[in-house]
Amino acid sequence: MNLKDFIRSIPDYPKKGILFRDITTLIKDENAFEECINQIIERSKDYKIDKIAAIESRGFVFASAVSYLLKKPFILFRKKNKLPADTYSVDFELEYGTATIEVHKDSIKKNDSVLIIDDLIATGGTAEAAAKLVEMSGGNVAAFIFAINLFDLNGSNNLIKKGYKVENLINFPGHWYFLLTLYEDRFPTIELNKPKNLLEYLTCIFLLKVDV
């Protein structure tokens, strides 16, 4: 089963130039969702794991299922002011703005090895903030596992450069015009820095049969 077949792509959402990868079409198919969880579990076997953590909110969908099947404690990284007890907080930049995530101070113990799961990695700002929360708590990041990696935004590569282990189930470009830059010689009339419209992108896909 190819999990890519179950991801819906929505151009120019949430802002122009972004090609949004929608996981709701994957999780609404019971067989695809099961396969996705099985693949995450298979990737996790390479790491020592004491606890599993996920980033609000779509990460909870995948991580809670993995936590249940592996019989590991499940830790929530939540948005600011969503957790009731004492927390550690980290501010970070998103591709669309800024945000804060938090974790309860009693969630992670010293030297806990924590697997962080999320649905998608783009620029990696959220993932780096999650790693900081683990480290502030005295734990260690065992690895990151992402269902989708938007490879042209370099978040996954940046985590690897910082010494983290990263696993990605699916690789997609995050900008719909990114593919055009790969085939500039085939489309010399396209203004690559300022793509005109989605039609040019669809033409690229149709003629070159590029997998997005």
Side-chain angles (χ1 to χ4, degrees), residues 34 37-38 41 52 62-72:
E34 180 184 25
I37 297 302
N38 288 341
I41 289 174
I52 293 172
F62 300 93
S64 58
V66 173
S67 177
Y68 171 76
L69 292 171
L70 293 183
K71 301 186 186 306
K72 298 291 184 180

Side-chain angles (χ1 to χ4, degrees), residues 77-91:
F77 295 143
R78 298 213 61 189
K79 296 175 183 176
K80 189 174 183 178
N81 297 325
K82 295 293 186 179
L83 293 172
D86 291 339
T87 61
Y88 293 114
S89 298
V90 174
D91 299 324

Side-chain angles (χ1 to χ4, degrees), residues 49-53 72-73 75 107-109 112-115:
I49 301 168
D50 297 313
K51 295 177 178 177
I52 293 172
K72 298 291 184 180
I75 307 302
S107 290
I108 299 169
K109 296 179 181 179
D112 275 347
S113 185
V114 181
L115 173 66

Side-chain angles (χ1 to χ4, degrees), residues 121-184:
I121 181 166
T123 61
T126 309
E128 286 189 47
K132 288 179 181 177
L133 288 177
V134 172
E135 292 157 1
M136 290 169 66
S137 303
N140 304 299
V141 177
F144 289 91
I145 299 181
F146 302 100
I148 298 173
N149 170 38
L150 303 183
F151 60 83
D152 56 318
L153 299 183
N154 292 317
S156 183
N157 288 337
N158 289 337
L159 289 177
I160 293 170
K161 288 177 182 177
K162 293 185 177 183
Y164 296 109
K165 304 294 184 182
V166 180
E167 303 280 347
N168 302 305
L169 303 189
I170 307 169
N171 290 290
F172 279 124
H175 293 97
W176 65 259
Y177 57 81
F178 174 80
L179 293 173
L180 302 180
T181 67
L182 301 179
Y183 299 93
E184 185 172 4

